[in-house]
Amino acid sequence: MMLNFFSTRPDHPLGEAREFKRVLAELPPDAFKAIDEVYGWFESLRLADDFRLDHLHAVVSGLDEAAQPHLRRLTRHYLRTPRLSKNEERRLWTMCFNYWGEVSWLYARCVERFAMNPKTKGGEVFKGDVPVAATRLLAARASQLKWIDYRYGVIGEDLWRGLGLPYLAAEAGGYAQKPVQMYPGAAGSTSVAQQYLQTLVRESSSMGTLLPLEIELADRLITHFLPGFIFGAECLPESVYWIDAASALPPTRLVRPPAQLSPGLRFFQPGTVSQALDELMHAVERGTIPVELNLGAEYPPAALLKVLRHLALYWAPVPPQREHVRHAAKTRMAVLQGFDSSLAVFAGNVARLGVERSAESWVVENVSLGGFSAGTEAAGDWLTIGSLLCLQPEGGDNWVLGVVRRRSVHADARASIGIQTLSRNAQSVELRPRTSGLSATDAIPGIWLREDAAAEQVRLVLPPGSFDVRQNLEFVQDERRHMLAPVELEETGGGFEVGRYREMLSA
């Protein structure tokens, strides 16, 4: 990028073209250090009031473009490193989240300066870049929302306004639908409206029930399917969601219609997406992934299918409703985490007493037949989507086995946890593989989900990697021998898996 600052060069190091080119060329190769340096320049530009508008945008844009490959590396590291330390996770998250916040503020400043006084010399030059700056502004704020999703945080009112108001301004300016290339070398085109709609679709697709890497995969899939969505100011019979772009509220299902009409109301629906989504799921089930599907990385078919099925639920003409009615409740419960602790509790022996003393105390907020929601101020880093929990209501003597399906963290660091009940009558068992009708010597620990099994079927919670479709198992309970033939691996979670078996003739 070449800058011509003429004789009106601002009193800022980046106001001189040669210095600006040197800064870009000498960004550190280390991704974190490079983003930290760019972020520092962004902070300094907040205080620079003497830049001509087109010059300010050129500097911000040039720094942002140089930062993109480093941001992609940091994001991959954050999402794909199996066990980040708490400090490293916080360090990466804070840097990326703050970067998108700072660059969005600077793009917003450029767009707002142009709106206030477009007839300046800098404004006349910048006029052709307004759609690109506004699109990057929306994309940056959408990225902030996604990083909040990675931590299951609550999205504040300022961010919803920060998305909706620039979108409405772009509509009023006539450039909301104008296709632009987001960054040099980026495939395809996008627009302000597409960036806004993508964020609305993502945030109405229940990201709080997916793992961070699955959230990233879902966002890639939304990009792929976005052209099939219908979005506009008219409420159609098929519309599923609505939002008031001028308000601070997130998208809402039309089962709860807006209280009043307003100029900022917009409606959206999946349109033709459901059929395309079904076709893609069938292709992946057959082992085929279309070449035009740009996921940014390779994913196992099982992981891709899981996210596709999740999106299919929320993009259906009638989004999923709660299977069971919830009832408000306020009581404490003891909470243990993980397969080993659960196994000890459901073994019913003295060994569990030491385990129970390590239990956390959570507050149940509401309950249903399928599970409950709880709040805690002490949810550790271990608590992720798919964590196995063993829970006992205060005053009770029965333990419940559950799995975390939803997590959200409030601004005060208090967490709300959605838990699906796996069993209210679980039992630890010792499983032995069978070979040629003879019991093997190596036992496999398991938790029998007794009341959840279908007729002649048994569901077991097992250690990771224990389910083998080629291996029959047996266990003895209450002097009865149960012989099991594998049917399917139902679920793989955090440190456990759930296998379904058919019970053969037992003695």
Side-chain angles (χ1 to χ4, degrees):
M1 176 181 297
M2 296 298 295
L3 302 180
N4 297 308
F5 292 147
F6 307 107
S7 60
T8 58
R9 184 168 63 87
D11 186 20
H12 187 281
L14 300 184
E16 201 279 317
R18 183 176 299 176
E19 178 64 12
F20 178 61
K21 291 173 66 177
R22 185 195 65 79
V23 166
L24 293 181
E26 296 181 5
L27 283 177
D30 178 84
F32 190 92
K33 292 179 179 179
I35 297 302
D36 189 41
E37 182 171 320
V38 172
Y39 181 79
W41 285 118
F42 283 162
E43 286 187 309
S44 71
L45 290 170
R46 272 183 176 257
L47 306 175
D49 296 325
D50 52 350
F51 269 94
R52 208 174 80 175
L53 176 54
D54 57 322
H55 296 167
L56 175 64
H57 175 255
V59 170
V60 173
S61 180
L63 288 169
D64 186 27
E65 290 168 7
Q68 291 308 304
H70 300 291
L71 282 167
R72 288 192 290 271
R73 282 196 289 272
L74 291 185
T75 303
R76 283 196 300 270
H77 184 52
Y78 182 89
L79 294 174
R80 293 184 174 273
T81 302
R83 284 193 171 274
L84 284 173
S85 69
K86 183 175 182 179
N87 288 339
E88 179 69 0
E89 186 274 338
R90 182 183 295 114
R91 176 173 173 261
L92 287 170
W93 188 93
T94 301
M95 176 57 72
C96 292
F97 178 80
N98 287 346
Y99 175 91
W100 290 118
E102 200 68 22
V103 76
S104 70
W105 188 92
L106 290 167
Y107 280 128
R109 182 183 180 191
C110 292
V111 174
E112 289 162 4
R113 277 182 59 178
F114 175 79
M116 288 187 295
N117 195 355
K119 298 300 183 182
T120 63
K121 187 174 182 180
E124 292 288 350
V125 177
F126 175 65
K127 184 177 180 179
D129 291 326
V130 172
V132 176
T135 302
R136 290 186 182 181
L137 159 61
L138 267 288
R141 288 182 175 161
S143 294
Q144 277 197 296
L145 265 69
K146 188 162 63 170
W147 279 90
I148 293 173
D149 287 339
Y150 291 155
R151 273 196 169 181
Y152 309 103
V154 177
I155 297 168
E157 296 181 352
D158 55 336
L159 268 175
W160 284 118
R161 286 196 188 94
L163 283 160
L165 294 179
Y167 164 73
L168 292 176
E171 270 198 348
Y175 56 86
Q177 304 286 348
K178 183 176 178 59
V180 300
Q181 186 182 38
M182 178 75 78
Y183 290 102
S189 63
T190 184
S191 67
V192 171
Q194 287 181 345
Q195 289 298 312
Y196 186 50
L197 176 58
Q198 176 152 351
T199 306
L200 300 182
V201 172
R202 187 178 70 233
E203 298 308 317
S204 59
S205 299
S206 193
M207 294 295 103
T209 63
L210 297 176
L211 295 169
L213 187 58
E214 294 170 342
I215 293 172
E216 175 65 18
L217 175 54
D219 198 43
R220 290 277 185 166
L221 289 167
I222 291 168
T223 301
H224 177 75
F225 288 112
L226 199 64
F229 280 83
I230 297 174
F231 175 67
E234 182 181 0
C235 183
L236 302 172
E238 300 82 8
S239 295
V240 181
Y241 295 94
W242 64 272
I243 190 168
D244 186 347
S247 77
L249 298 176
T252 305
R253 288 189 213 162
L254 267 170
V255 293
R256 183 164 70 84
Q260 59 185 14
L261 297 178
S262 69
L265 279 177
R266 298 294 182 271
F267 303 86
F268 61 101
Q269 50 144 314
T272 61
V273 171
S274 294
Q275 181 179 348
L277 187 57
D278 286 342
E279 292 173 356
L280 179 56
M281 283 193 289
H282 293 323
V284 175
E285 287 169 349
R286 296 191 300 267
T288 302
I289 298 179
V291 293
E292 68 272 13
L293 186 63
N294 179 17
L295 301 178
E298 291 187 4
Y299 293 87
L304 179 54
L305 275 174
K306 178 185 176 183
V307 177
L308 286 169
R309 289 165 180 161
H310 172 90
L311 295 176
L313 285 175
Y314 291 89
W315 296 354
V318 179
Q321 307 296 315
R322 297 196 185 279
E323 183 178 356
H324 304 290
V325 177
R326 286 189 174 186
H327 303 280
K330 287 292 182 183
T331 185
R332 286 200 169 269
M333 65 179 179
V335 181
L336 294 164
Q337 181 267 340
F339 178 82
D340 291 340
S341 295
S342 301
L343 186 74
V345 166
F346 293 118
N349 53 35
V350 180
R352 78 177 188 176
L353 297 178
V355 174
E356 292 179 11
R357 284 195 290 269
S358 66
E360 295 184 3
S361 179
W362 294 4
V363 177
V364 177
E365 297 169 341
N366 57 66
V367 298
S368 73
L369 289 176
F372 39 91
S373 178
T376 175
E377 297 177 357
D381 291 342
W382 57 264
L383 188 66
T384 61
I385 303 299
S387 293
L388 191 68
L389 302 179
C390 188
L391 317 110
Q392 183 185 59
E394 189 173 58
D397 57 5
N398 184 55
W399 286 82
V400 176
L401 189 66
V403 63
V404 175
R405 297 302 189 197
R406 175 184 53 79
R407 178 183 179 184
S408 61
V409 181
H410 303 280
D412 59 0
R414 185 175 178 275
S416 291
I417 314 299
I419 302 160
Q420 178 190 0
T421 300
L422 291 181
S423 177
R424 300 179 187 275
N425 190 27
Q427 177 68 53
S428 295
V429 294
E430 186 178 83
L431 302 154
R432 292 190 178 276
R434 291 180 59 84
T435 304
S436 302
L438 300 176
S439 296
T441 56
D442 295 331
I444 300 172
I447 303 174
W448 181 17
L449 308 179
R450 292 191 291 188
E451 79 278 28
D452 287 345
E456 299 182 351
Q457 291 198 350
V458 170
R459 295 171 69 227
L460 297 168
V461 180
L462 304 166
S466 298
F467 181 86
D468 188 341
V469 72
R470 302 162 299 180
Q471 182 68 69
N472 293 346
L473 299 175
E474 69 173 21
F475 69 93
V476 177
Q477 183 68 28
D478 298 330
E479 299 183 354
R480 179 187 174 193
R481 186 179 301 276
H482 298 262
M483 292 181 286
L484 310 175
V487 177
E488 68 172 344
L489 180 63
E490 284 193 357
E491 176 178 358
T492 300
F496 74 98
E497 58 191 29
V498 179
R500 184 156 56 90
Y501 294 80
R502 177 174 55 84
E503 185 159 15
M504 302 182 289
L505 183 65
S506 58

